[in-house]
Amino acid sequence: MNAAPDPSDKAAVLVISSLVARGSVGARASAFALERHGHPVWLVPTVWLPWHPGQGEAPRIVPDGAAFQASLDAMAASDKLGEIGAVLTGYLGDGAQAAPIGRLIDAVRAANPDVLVVVDPVSADERGPYVPEAVLDALRGELLPRADVLTPNRFELAALSGLPAGGDPAQLAAAARRLGIGLTVVTSALGIMRGAIGALSVSAREAILAEHAAVPDAPHGTGDLFAALLTAHMLAGANAEEALTRATSSVFDIIARTVRRGGDELLIAAEQTSLIRSLAMVRTRRIVEPAQRA
């Protein structure tokens, strides 16, 4: 097994997401991946569930709104905020959580102006949005304006941008730029190769697709894992293309190994070497957009 990264100079990452008792989704995926990369994790659960709802009935416990706000306000007043090098937000249990999260992000940024803010707007799949419109409004109003990096899947991109969730990478790039984020990385983007899927990195200057063969029946949690790995690689100094390629390769590797072993949840702990070093084949290509053809 590869040696763990030296944690001595690793910044902490504030993870704000869902928490499950069993499984590898939400904060269970993101926190483990970040810690495996040597980052201390500050963890704020937005909702607790026994497991992902796709595994069966999953009653949820959402923190009391006043208590959630008071806890985050206490964190915002901490003299330890300078430890935090990145903030990663995921699933919101309630739209009202976005405002105190936004204030906490502002406090972290005041303590560390170089903090990286990554927003994973967990909210939709192929069936459309599975959160109330109030959550989408809160994402648009509170978290997207504070994001340095946004990591929606293509269905979340459609819900947030109002543009169709088409499979064409150029269309996805246009929808991503409509949101006005410095870097948007769209997961579950359809690849150019037949039967391929991947992630599309969209900045003001270019769009880069990292694609690989699609793996049928992939478990839940891949988006949470991808956002965490992208964050870890960017904190390590990787540029957008390098972070895209490495995160995509690791997620593809974990998915393939999980499906091969018959796992119903991502086998992140068992296959953790792939979080650090993956040899899974990912093809990267620059997307030529209509304006560039003219």
Side-chain angles (χ1 to χ4, degrees):
M1 179 179 292
N2 294 344
D6 181 0
S8 60
D9 59 352
K10 298 283 187 174
V13 179
L14 169 59
V15 174
I16 306 173
S17 191
S18 59
L19 185 63
V20 294
R22 176 189 184 273
S24 301
V25 300
R28 289 292 298 272
S30 53
F32 186 93
L34 288 161
E35 289 174 336
R36 184 64 180 84
H37 273 262
H39 293 280
V41 171
W42 293 31
L43 178 58
V44 176
T46 56
V47 61
W48 181 90
L49 305 97
W51 38 70
H52 187 281
Q55 296 284 19
E57 185 178 359
R60 43 189 271 150
I61 300 174
V62 178
D64 172 76
F68 185 84
Q69 177 174 317
S71 295
L72 268 63
D73 287 347
M75 293 175 67
S78 171
D79 61 0
K80 306 294 186 185
L81 292 185
E83 299 174 358
I84 298 174
V87 179
L88 172 59
T89 71
Y91 182 82
L92 299 184
D94 187 288
Q97 294 175 340
I101 291 171
R103 290 195 297 273
L104 178 54
I105 291 172
D106 293 344
V108 174
R109 184 160 270 147
N112 176 11
D114 295 325
V115 69
L116 175 69
V117 178
V118 180
V119 173
D120 184 12
V122 183
S123 55
D125 57 20
E126 65 277 3
R127 296 164 295 185
Y130 49 71
V131 299
E133 186 63 31
V135 171
L136 291 172
D137 287 342
L139 288 168
R140 295 188 193 99
E142 295 286 351
L143 299 188
L144 266 64
R146 292 176 166 90
D148 299 306
V149 181
L150 187 70
T151 63
N153 63 37
R154 71 178 191 270
F155 309 106
E156 291 157 352
L157 177 61
L160 292 169
S161 70
L163 296 179
D168 180 82
Q171 293 175 340
L172 292 178
R177 290 201 180 96
R178 182 179 226 186
L179 297 177
I181 311 297
L183 180 67
T184 297
V185 184
V186 186
T187 60
S188 73
L190 299 181
I192 293 175
M193 297 184 298
R194 183 186 297 274
I197 197 167
L200 179 70
S201 173
V202 183
S203 67
R205 300 185 309 275
E206 61 184 359
I208 303 172
L209 176 68
E211 63 179 353
H212 57 79
V215 180
D217 303 319
H220 298 285
T222 56
D224 304 299
L225 180 60
F226 178 86
L229 290 171
L230 189 77
T231 301
H233 290 307
M234 294 185 75
L235 284 175
N239 63 33
E241 182 173 356
E242 292 169 340
L244 168 74
T245 303
R246 293 175 189 174
T248 302
S249 177
S250 289
V251 173
F252 174 36
D253 203 356
I254 293 283
I255 293 171
R257 291 171 182 269
T258 298
V259 171
R260 188 160 56 241
R261 293 177 57 175
D264 66 341
E265 294 280 351
L266 291 172
L267 299 177
I268 297 175
E271 302 292 351
Q272 61 186 271
T273 302
S274 296
L275 299 175
I276 304 300
R277 179 186 170 99
S278 170
L279 299 178
M281 294 299 295
V282 172
R283 182 168 184 174
T284 303
R285 64 178 90 210
R286 281 166 173 75
I287 302 302
V288 178
E289 300 172 59
Q292 297 169 327
R293 299 189 188 105

